[in-house]
Amino acid sequence: MSTVLPYLLSGISVGGQYALIAIGYTMVYGILRLINFAHGDVFMVAGLMGIYFAATMPLYIALPLVIIMTVVLGFVIERVAYKPLRGASRLAPLISAIGMSTFLQNYVQLAQTSNSVPFPRLIPRRFSFLQDMGNFMAPGDFIMLVTSLLIMVALALFIRYTKMGKAMRATAQNRKMAMLLGIDADRIISLTFIIGSALAALGGTLIAARTGQVGFAIGFLAGMKAFTAAVLGGIGSIPGAMLGGLVLGLAEGFTAGYFSSDYEDVLAFALLVLILIFRPAGLLGRAAIQKV
């Protein structure tokens, strides 16, 4: 049991971060039927901002600033790259999303003086009691685990019980009918990008703190794994994104523990292929039925 527990806790904490990013994918897809390929790069930009802010100010000030600036970035991306193409074919916003992803990667690559930037100390010395947990899980993993679970519970309650959450569910189910009922679809879409960007900011900062460095290419791999988690759970389903992230994180945790961390990425994409073959709708997804 003492051998299994560290892998279990580490897998849950990493899976929680995948879930935070996957929720952004699945929320946008649920409403717009669009895979926002720039979402992983928004996560990467958030991680870099977290590094620069955490190096110059306390974490309780740096993290809200990162969230605010990432939310502004997500809002601008939605207004510039997606809103003008709302009435176009599905291929147009997809190409726009890929273009925005490429733009963010290349901009950061040109702005960075090195391929990766180290992350400063995450846990203040006065919280050194967390270091005593090292036999079970790293302090960074503990913070990621608690934060992820709290955020996912809060988001689930928001979507289920608040007026805006109900409007988001209605828009995802049938946007035209929701507009006929008086729901401002443009406002709901902007809110979706804002929430997704805020979650990416949290995930980016925490994963950067865990890995210890951030490079311009980290967004692509993290984005692909989060997309895998979203498909695994059922793209368009928020509970599915949470479940898919946790399943993927646990699979990676046990693979790294019992075999080698070199196989983590292989496992992630192998899971994606298997799910697409045997259960295309995902674990909690429902197959779409076309009526004629």
Side-chain angles (χ1 to χ4, degrees):
M1 183 64 181
S2 60
T3 305
V4 173
L5 187 59
Y7 304 148
L8 177 66
L9 295 176
S10 177
I12 292 175
S13 64
V14 175
Q17 299 312 299
Y18 289 155
L20 289 181
I21 310 171
I23 288 170
Y25 277 109
T26 205
M27 288 176 68
V28 172
Y29 181 84
I31 291 178
L32 290 179
R33 294 297 184 265
L34 165 70
I35 301 298
N36 180 18
F37 283 109
H39 191 63
D41 298 288
V42 172
F43 152 86
M44 173 267 296
V45 172
L48 286 171
M49 288 192 293
I51 286 176
Y52 295 126
F53 288 147
T56 57
M57 59 188 70
L59 186 64
Y60 63 86
I61 297 177
L63 187 57
L65 278 178
V66 172
I67 293 174
I68 291 171
M69 295 189 69
T70 308
V71 162
V72 171
L73 175 62
F75 180 78
V76 170
I77 289 175
E78 189 270 329
R79 292 287 170 169
V80 172
Y82 303 136
K83 186 177 180 180
L85 300 174
R86 199 153 292 164
S89 66
R90 291 188 181 182
L91 186 60
L94 179 64
I95 294 173
S96 180
I98 296 173
M100 183 58 67
S101 172
T102 304
F103 168 78
L104 290 174
Q105 281 190 39
N106 284 274
Y107 178 81
V108 171
Q109 185 179 10
L110 293 172
Q112 275 188 297
T113 55
S114 62
N115 289 333
S116 61
V117 182
F119 199 90
R121 181 185 180 89
L122 177 66
I123 302 174
R125 297 189 183 279
R126 63 179 177 274
F127 296 125
S128 58
F129 68 91
L130 291 175
Q131 304 292 341
D132 299 334
M133 301 178 59
N135 293 330
F136 298 100
M137 66 187 305
D141 286 345
F142 174 76
I143 292 177
M144 288 170 62
L145 173 61
V146 174
T147 304
S148 301
L149 292 177
L150 290 176
I151 292 298
M152 286 190 289
V153 169
L155 180 62
L157 293 174
F158 171 81
I159 295 294
R160 185 171 182 83
Y161 294 109
T162 67
K163 184 177 180 180
M164 293 300 295
K166 293 176 182 178
M168 291 174 68
R169 284 189 287 146
T171 306
Q173 186 173 8
N174 192 320
R175 196 197 323 174
K176 291 183 179 179
M177 182 60 70
M179 293 172 66
L180 290 174
L181 294 174
I183 295 175
D184 188 344
D186 286 336
R187 184 183 177 190
I188 295 301
I189 291 170
S190 297
L191 178 65
T192 301
F193 274 87
I194 286 172
I195 293 175
S197 299
L199 295 177
L202 283 170
T205 304
L206 293 173
I207 287 184
R210 180 181 184 273
T211 59
Q213 62 182 12
V214 175
F216 68 91
I218 190 176
F220 173 78
L221 183 58
M224 287 296 100
K225 287 189 176 182
F227 176 67
T228 301
V231 174
L232 179 64
I235 191 74
S237 168
I238 292 177
M242 297 177 185
L243 176 62
L246 292 175
V247 169
L248 182 60
L250 287 170
E252 287 191 1
F254 283 107
T255 299
Y258 288 109
F259 299 100
S260 171
S261 59
D262 296 334
Y263 295 104
E264 287 183 359
D265 298 341
V266 175
L267 175 69
F269 297 112
L271 275 176
L272 177 60
V273 172
L274 290 174
I275 286 295
L276 289 175
I277 292 174
F278 295 105
R279 191 173 175 82
L283 297 176
L284 298 183
R286 296 179 181 178
I289 301 174
Q290 274 192 330
K291 296 182 179 180
V292 294

